[in-house]
Amino acid sequence: MSAHADTHAHDDHGHHHKETFVTKYIFSMDHKMIAKQYLVTGTIMGVIGVMMSLLFRMQIAWPEQPNVLFEALLGKWAPDGVMDADIYLALVTIHGTIMVFFVLTAGLSGTFSNLLIPLQIGARDMASGFLNMVSYWLFFVSSIIMVISLFVEAGPAAAGWTIYPPLSALPMAQGGSGAGMTLWLVSMAIFIASSLLGSLNYVVTVLNLRTKGMSMTRLPLTIWAFFVTAIIGIISFPVLLSAALLLIMDRSFGTSFFLSDIFIQGEVLHYQGGSPVLFEHLFWFLGHPEVYIVILPAMGLVSEIMATNSRKPIFGYRAMIASILAIAFLSTIVWGHHMFVSGMNPFLGSVFTFTTLLIAIPSAVKAFNWITTIWKGNLQMNPAMLFSIGFVSTFITGGLTGIILGDSALDINVHDTYFVVAHFHLVMGISALYGMFAGIYHWYPKMYGRMLNKNLGYIHFWITAVCAYGVFFPMHFIGMAGLPRRYYTNSNFPLFDDVSNVNVIITIFALIGGVVQIVYLYNFFSSMYYGKKATQNPWRATTLEWTTPVEHIHGNWPGEIPHVYRWSYDYSKPGHDVDFVPQNVPLKDGEEELQH
């Protein structure tokens, strides 16, 4: 199969130099270009998502105070600069949706699966370049629809990013339940189609297109992570699609899947027999695997970057693969821990508590293995390594609070407070973002043939790291004090007067952390043109992507695809003159292949 693909790619080789702007940059089927398209689109969506969070953070810190920014950006939703309560919930909703799906899912899986799978397994391209292109363009269309929904007259979707009925199922419930909600559902349906096409492509590519000698146990951990992430996506995204379709039926065609005994202004509606809890089950059956779809690629990137920058083999390679597989399996049987307060049978609650606490084991295996990898290593503290270490830090601090939330008895006290917001932003939001930044700093030379500015990278890391903890660490405490999520002001509750100062501190950290991303954006876009030209293997790494030429060519390698003779982590191996041995270097006489 791969030999056939190889000769075929050679036949086509001469015909690809007559590319026009449209075939090269817009409707490209080259995985390297599609990866860049995902990254730039995800970055733009990220800017929108972060700006929204800064707007509603300012509202929580200084409620009911006129703000020039609100008036400028929100228009009729901020009369005289005072934010309207309805738009507050809409901002929270779209912020959550954009960050989870359009930034982290697409930014990590879309960018790095596309960039690295063919390059690291030794393939000319993805199994289907056309499907890959369609996958990106569906993602692009869904992004556009989500952004358009912000400009609907009655307001964007406003039921929280989890869009629980009845707010999402009754178009007349509030302004944001109308056309904005419909556009949200259409956008997500298209996004799911994009995700499924991409995932199928990734799985087939990893299974069928590995080069000679690249067995599954010689794959870098990045590829294992992308491979398993794609499988989780294929299993769980269709469930969200079914929930969205049933919700569209309830909204537009008079069915009652999620509605029953609804009264609006004293009038009984005709809906009978549905259950909003059914929607919660369908949503969280995707929603929990989704957080692992977001975090697993980051874990893979961090494993690769830490081994490279410690100049040591990754510790416990097979244990790392086993924990990825264990996380993937367990992620599909824990969704009920989001629903402990929904009237669930306490016995069922204890079952979900048990499976949730089990998932801490493979996560801890990974955390200890990362720490052991850098132990006594020859550490290269570049920005990618710093973000990787930051990832391990936020993953552990965020994960520890998950043990509290995963326990049905303890969760009841802090459910729907800022404690939950603090937990999942640290463990999934910030951690995944750090993984993404680490990957960008590390593979930027492979994407653009130039280096990012290291000093700007240091500024970006340290201010972001301090601000991320400055934002989310205090949230644990205001959550334990009982402050509920998603309230646009707490000034009506004298109980919460004490925590208003903490909210101001959090907002100041958020504003500084948001502004410092401009340093990163400047570094990212200016280095494309003015960055130092990259060498072929700037980090002295062992994996196959660094054997390709710096200039991108169709088919990745100019001659034959390299064969693989060893695993991907031969760093500081005794008996060699240099501290790294690439995978395509044959074993010496008497040399043993390492397999940890």
Side-chain angles (χ1 to χ4, degrees), residues 257-387:
F257 290 109
F258 306 132
L259 294 168
S260 187
D261 304 325
I262 302 280
F263 293 79
I264 286 194
Q265 292 168 343
E267 190 185 330
V268 187
L269 302 187
H270 66 275
Y271 299 106
Q272 209 59 44
S275 165
V277 177
L278 168 63
F279 178 86
E280 291 189 33
H281 279 292
L282 291 173
F283 182 90
W284 286 116
F285 189 82
L286 158 94
H288 202 81
E290 165 63 27
V291 303
Y292 291 101
I293 290 171
V294 162
I295 204 75
L296 277 176
M299 288 174 162
L301 297 173
V302 163
S303 302
E304 183 64 37
I305 292 165
M306 280 200 161
T308 305
N309 287 310
S310 303
R311 315 310 294 161
K312 273 178 65 184
I314 189 83
F315 185 88
Y317 174 76
R318 285 169 187 253
M320 289 299 239
I321 296 172
S323 56
I324 288 175
L325 294 169
I327 285 172
F329 169 67
L330 289 169
S331 75
T332 58
I333 53 169
V334 296
W335 77 92
H337 65 218
H338 296 267
M339 301 167 56
F340 286 143
V341 298
S342 67
M344 170 189 282
N345 180 321
F347 174 73
L348 188 58
S350 64
V351 172
F352 279 121
T353 297
F354 175 64
T355 55
T356 303
L357 297 184
L358 273 184
I359 214 163
I361 299 169
S363 306
V365 167
K366 296 190 89 60
F368 286 124
N369 282 3
W370 287 317
I371 293 167
T372 319
T373 300
I374 60 175
W375 174 251
K376 293 196 173 176
N378 174 14
L379 303 187
Q380 317 291 307
M381 286 296 188
N382 48 43
M385 183 63 162
L386 289 173
F387 273 111

Side-chain angles (χ1 to χ4, degrees), residues 395-469:
F395 184 69
I396 292 171
T397 43
L400 286 172
T401 52
I403 295 172
I404 295 166
L405 292 167
D407 188 311
S408 51
L410 299 175
D411 174 70
I412 290 167
N413 305 296
V414 284
H415 184 87
D416 247 340
T417 67
Y418 270 90
F419 192 85
V420 180
V421 179
H423 157 70
F424 76 80
H425 277 83
L426 276 179
V427 79
M428 169 188 130
I430 299 297
S431 296
L433 213 55
Y434 281 2
M436 188 163 108
F437 283 140
I440 291 166
Y441 280 100
H442 190 77
W443 278 285
Y444 191 90
K446 194 75 255 156
M447 282 191 266
Y448 293 102
R450 291 175 182 271
M451 307 293 282
L452 283 165
N453 182 310
K454 204 171 173 181
N455 292 332
L456 290 179
Y458 289 143
I459 293 169
H460 177 216
F461 169 74
W462 283 112
I463 299 180
T464 302
V466 171
C467 291
Y469 270 134

